[in-house]
Amino acid sequence: MKLKVGLALGSGGARGWCHIGVLHALAEEGIRPDILCGTSMGSLVAAAEASGILDKLEAFARGLRQLTIARMIDIDVNSGGLIMGNAIMQQLHELGFKDTIAALDRPYMAVATDLYAGREVWMRDGDLLDAVRASIGIPGIFAPVFHNGSWLLDGGMSNPVPVSAARALGAEIIIAVDPNSKLYMPRHGAPDLTTDSNGFGLDMLLQNMPAAVQPALKSYLEPKKTRRRTPGYLEVLSTSIDVMTDQIRRSRLAGEPPNVMVELDLRDVTVLEFSKADLAISRGYAAMKAKMPLLLAQL
């Protein structure tokens, strides 16, 4: 009897483009996951796969440039985040995602986090892209989403790699993909904090603000130019999210181990560098290929 294969795609912001490469590697071996679960960017890629439009999402991702990303950013500092996310979701709608989770060709679940209850929320029905939008709500960046009486944020705050969700949907062999697994491995020397970093999306945010407030916002957000550069707002936020989700991930996976753990080294991609899809996708493909013998031995 064929075992049900579940795919648990983890959070990681822009690093989550790696999931596209993972799915390509599986397809080359004729492996089509029976169950798809995702947190944050993992929920988006899983939704594209279940909607039959992974190729369109990949083309969209590979075509992203700083300018095109900037045009999709709708700033509203009164929304509970910096970005409303409506313009981004409109672009995703145009790719052809299925309207509802019920319309997908396989069981699917997106994981979000209830802001006030402090618990994970499993989204298994209703509007598909509404579920994705709730799951990708990076705190401090994207505005939270009001859904069924609760304010929801990024699922990475509660379940960064949703192995438990895949198991709950009936998966017997679970492949888990963690885009953040190598973030805190030993380095040769300390990170360079003496020069400015443009990897955290400051320019994109500023381009979408009224000209009159750009100088003040830039002064607040950008790294301070001291003898030893002080990290800027977006850098502190991005790195803090990494630290938080790493601790949660370690705890969750210790009690909920998958059958195959695919670990990525994407330390050179921040959570906001969405224009680095080519790099992330190629790393995801290579990482899944490396674990293929282990997977095939269990099928």
Side-chain angles (χ1 to χ4, degrees):
M1 184 177 67
K2 180 181 179 295
L3 297 174
K4 287 187 178 180
V5 175
L7 194 57
L9 301 181
S11 63
R15 302 182 192 114
W17 291 134
C18 71
H19 299 313
I20 296 174
V22 168
L23 283 160
H24 284 326
L26 291 171
E28 282 187 1
E29 297 290 338
I31 299 171
R32 182 178 184 270
D34 302 291
I35 293 165
L36 294 159
C37 296
T39 294
S40 196
M41 277 291 284
S43 73
L44 173 63
V45 176
E49 166 70 7
S51 294
I53 59 163
L54 187 66
D55 56 339
K56 292 184 180 179
L57 181 65
E58 180 176 0
F60 170 79
R62 290 186 185 273
L64 288 174
R65 299 293 181 267
Q66 293 281 38
L67 182 59
T68 56
I69 296 171
R71 289 171 177 165
M72 291 188 288
I73 292 178
D74 44 359
I75 299 289
D76 185 348
V77 294
N78 294 316
S79 66
L82 292 176
I83 301 168
M84 282 292 292
N86 295 334
I88 294 171
M89 297 311 295
Q90 180 58 43
Q91 290 289 315
L92 294 177
H93 270 289
E94 293 175 5
L95 296 180
F97 284 86
K98 298 292 187 182
D99 291 334
T100 65
I101 293 176
L104 299 175
D105 66 357
R106 281 164 277 179
Y108 167 89
M109 185 189 297
V111 178
T113 301
D114 188 314
L115 176 62
Y116 291 108
R119 61 178 179 83
E120 65 185 283
V121 176
W122 288 1
M123 308 187 77
R124 301 178 57 181
D125 52 31
D127 186 280
L128 175 60
L129 283 181
D130 282 354
V132 170
R133 173 62 184 86
S135 185
I136 65 174
I138 301 173
I141 300 295
F142 285 101
V145 173
F146 192 72
H147 180 79
N148 287 343
S150 299
W151 286 102
L152 302 183
L153 279 173
D154 199 291
M157 298 170 62
S158 55
N159 194 352
V161 185
V163 173
S164 56
R167 186 164 287 124
L169 290 184
E172 297 165 294
I173 298 292
I174 299 176
I175 307 161
V177 185
D178 182 13
N180 305 308
S181 60
K182 306 292 185 180
L183 291 181
Y184 300 103
M185 293 186 68
R187 300 170 182 263
H188 295 293
D192 180 14
L193 290 179
T194 60
T195 58
D196 290 342
S197 169
N198 292 319
F200 294 89
L202 176 60
D203 291 341
M204 291 186 293
L205 290 172
L206 290 175
Q207 288 175 23
N208 289 271
M209 293 298 292
V213 303
Q214 284 187 20
L217 187 63
K218 182 177 182 181
S219 175
Y220 176 70
L221 294 178
E222 73 179 357
K224 304 307 177 186
K225 294 180 180 179
T226 59
R227 188 165 64 176
R228 182 172 297 277
R229 180 178 66 80
T230 302
Y233 169 82
L234 293 175
E235 185 171 353
V236 170
L237 180 62
S238 173
T239 305
S240 298
I241 291 169
D242 285 341
V243 173
M244 174 188 69
T245 56
D246 181 68
Q247 296 298 318
I248 298 169
R249 173 188 63 84
R250 291 173 186 269
S251 175
R252 295 296 299 258
L253 290 178
E256 302 164 350
N259 299 85
V260 177
M261 186 76 231
V262 181
E263 299 175 305
L264 274 293
D265 185 353
L266 287 166
R267 286 174 287 179
D268 48 351
V269 180
T270 73
V271 296
L272 300 177
E273 290 185 290
F274 293 99
S275 59
K276 288 190 173 182
D278 290 350
L279 175 62
I281 292 170
S282 65
R283 297 263 182 91
Y285 176 85
M288 186 67 249
K289 292 293 279 189
K291 290 298 180 79
M292 198 62 70
L294 176 60
L295 173 61
L296 294 176
Q298 300 181 62
L299 294 177

